[in-house]
């Protein structure tokens, strides 16, 4: 299989104001301990408060406190466009039906695939690309504790996922989404070295646990507007009371409502010739 060249070279990592303040606080706390050892409770308290703030920001998937984060399409690409993102696949039962729905609506989507699942179902992952969609990186194993991995193991999860998806599809991912969108300060430097962008979402339907397709549609389409990035799941999909994967019940209605508003679906990577957020 021919492997496509990288779309983007490694990016330069720039610490955010929050991280710059964190570095300064740690240096200051060490200096204070050296000059006034008796003030160690104050130093420890300041560091603990700082780490709590970092944790809170990492638990907020749409925050930009730890680095760049695509929660919407870039303004230059957002006129009349939205992005559908689909996580946790490929799934041998659900993904083919999702692809058929997208074909029927002439829609494009972004599949954030797990590397190990792509290796298990390579032809299905290749079919995603053949039908005009984008395959992006959702890590190699989708560990639920991804956000608390150390930097070396986190980098290995991302790099292995990247290699797996390239080997299976020939398409080099441009975006990364961590498990549940949770992350730590280690993530952005790793993504910058890989030339990857962090992609979050504007709105989500919670369709891995929400069995009510009507509620999922409501969450995704209320005040739906150009530039929105929507999150659904083909892997780990919840089931309706009738046993249907929620995405299959919700996606056609989401696409119909988008079309009624004159909105088209695009891949995230198609916007990369424009400045990212």
């Amino acid at each position: 299989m021919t492997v496509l060249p990288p779309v983007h070279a490694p990016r330069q990592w720039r610490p955010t104001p929050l991280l710059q303040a964190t570095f300064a606080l740690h240096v200051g706390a060490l200096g204070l301990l050296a000059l006034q050892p008796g003030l160690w409770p104050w130093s420890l308290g300041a560091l603990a408060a700082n780490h709590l703030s970092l944790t809170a920001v990492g638990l907020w998937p749409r925050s930009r406190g730890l680095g760049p984060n695509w929660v919407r399409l870039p303004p230059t690409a957002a006129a009349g466009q939205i992005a559908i993102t689909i996580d946790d696949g490929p799934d041998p039962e659900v993904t083919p039906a999702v692809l058929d729905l997208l074909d029927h609506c002439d829609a494009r989507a972004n599949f954030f695939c797990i590397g190990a699942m792509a290796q298990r179902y390579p032809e299905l992952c290749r079919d995603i690309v053949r039908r005009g969609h984008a395959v992006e990186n959702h890590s190699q194993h989708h560990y639920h504790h991804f956000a608390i991995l150390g930097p070396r193991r986190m980098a290995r999860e991302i790099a292995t996922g990247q290699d797996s998806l390239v080997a299976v599809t020939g398409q080099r991912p441009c975006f990364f989404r961590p498990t549940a969108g949770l992350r730590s300060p280690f993530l952005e430097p790793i993504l910058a070295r890989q030339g990857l962008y962090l992609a979050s979402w504007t709105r989500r339907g919670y369709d891995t646990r929400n069995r009510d397709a009507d509620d999922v549609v409501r969450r995704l389409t209320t005040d739906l507007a150009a530039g929105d990035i929507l999150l659904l799941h083909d892997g780990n999909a919840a089931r309706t009371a009738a046993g249907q994967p929620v995405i299959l019940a919700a996606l056609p209605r989401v696409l119909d409502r988008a079309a009624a508003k004159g909105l088209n679906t695009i891949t995230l990577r198609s916007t990369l010739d424009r400045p990212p957020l």
Side-chain angles (χ1 to χ4, degrees):
M1 176 179 294
T2 301
V3 176
L4 299 179
V7 175
H8 279 269
R11 299 182 287 108
Q12 182 178 356
W13 174 61
R14 294 182 176 87
T16 64
L18 175 60
L19 294 179
Q20 292 175 8
T22 295
F23 299 149
L25 179 62
H26 280 70
V27 171
L30 289 173
L32 183 62
L33 284 174
L35 294 173
Q36 297 287 340
L39 296 179
W40 68 266
W42 294 96
S43 296
L44 184 61
L47 292 177
N50 173 252
H51 281 260
L52 284 174
S53 68
L54 291 175
T55 300
V57 171
L59 292 173
W60 179 18
R62 300 179 70 247
S63 73
R64 295 190 177 103
L66 300 179
N69 186 6
W70 286 47
V71 300
R72 296 184 58 80
L73 296 175
T76 52
Q81 313 284 359
I82 62 170
I84 303 289
T85 64
I86 301 173
D87 284 13
D88 293 2
D91 179 277
E93 176 186 354
V94 181
T95 305
V98 170
L99 290 172
D100 289 343
L101 284 173
L102 292 168
D103 281 352
H104 179 74
C105 296
D106 194 24
R108 295 292 173 265
N110 305 267
F111 288 79
F112 281 82
C113 293
I114 300 167
M117 295 297 290
Q119 291 174 322
R120 185 176 300 177
Y121 305 109
E123 194 57 35
L124 182 52
C125 225
R126 285 191 280 268
D127 199 28
I128 292 172
V129 175
R130 278 195 295 263
R131 297 203 198 190
H133 310 290
V135 167
E136 305 294 356
N137 190 337
H138 200 34
S139 80
Q140 177 66 12
H141 296 102
H142 198 255
Y143 291 131
H144 293 294
H145 60 288
F146 175 87
I148 61 173
L149 295 178
R152 297 178 71 175
R153 191 174 178 194
M154 184 178 288
R156 187 164 62 248
E157 263 295 294
I158 295 169
T160 304
Q162 192 82 341
D163 292 343
S164 297
L165 295 171
V166 169
V168 167
T169 68
Q171 185 182 82
R172 197 174 296 275
C174 300
F175 290 86
F176 177 78
R177 178 176 287 159
T179 305
L182 308 181
R183 60 202 189 283
S184 75
F186 299 133
L187 180 58
E188 172 55 20
I190 296 168
L191 297 184
R193 288 196 300 271
Q194 288 277 351
L196 289 165
Y197 294 93
L198 176 66
S200 183
W201 52 81
T202 312
R203 59 191 74 231
R204 63 188 300 186
Y206 297 94
D207 58 318
T208 58
R209 60 178 186 269
N210 188 349
R211 302 177 63 199
D212 185 345
D214 291 339
D215 186 55
V216 170
V217 173
R218 179 187 61 79
R219 289 177 178 274
L220 291 173
T221 61
T222 299
D223 299 323
L224 180 66
D228 284 357
I229 298 174
L230 309 185
L231 170 59
L232 286 158
H233 293 78
D234 55 347
N236 300 313
R239 303 277 172 153
T240 66
Q244 183 183 31
V246 168
I247 186 174
L248 300 183
L251 182 58
R253 294 160 61 190
V254 170
L255 292 172
D256 285 347
R257 294 190 185 186
K261 292 190 174 189
L263 299 172
N264 299 312
T265 57
I266 61 171
T267 61
L268 297 173
R269 64 177 51 221
S270 69
T271 72
L272 285 177
D273 58 338
R274 306 173 176 93
L277 291 178

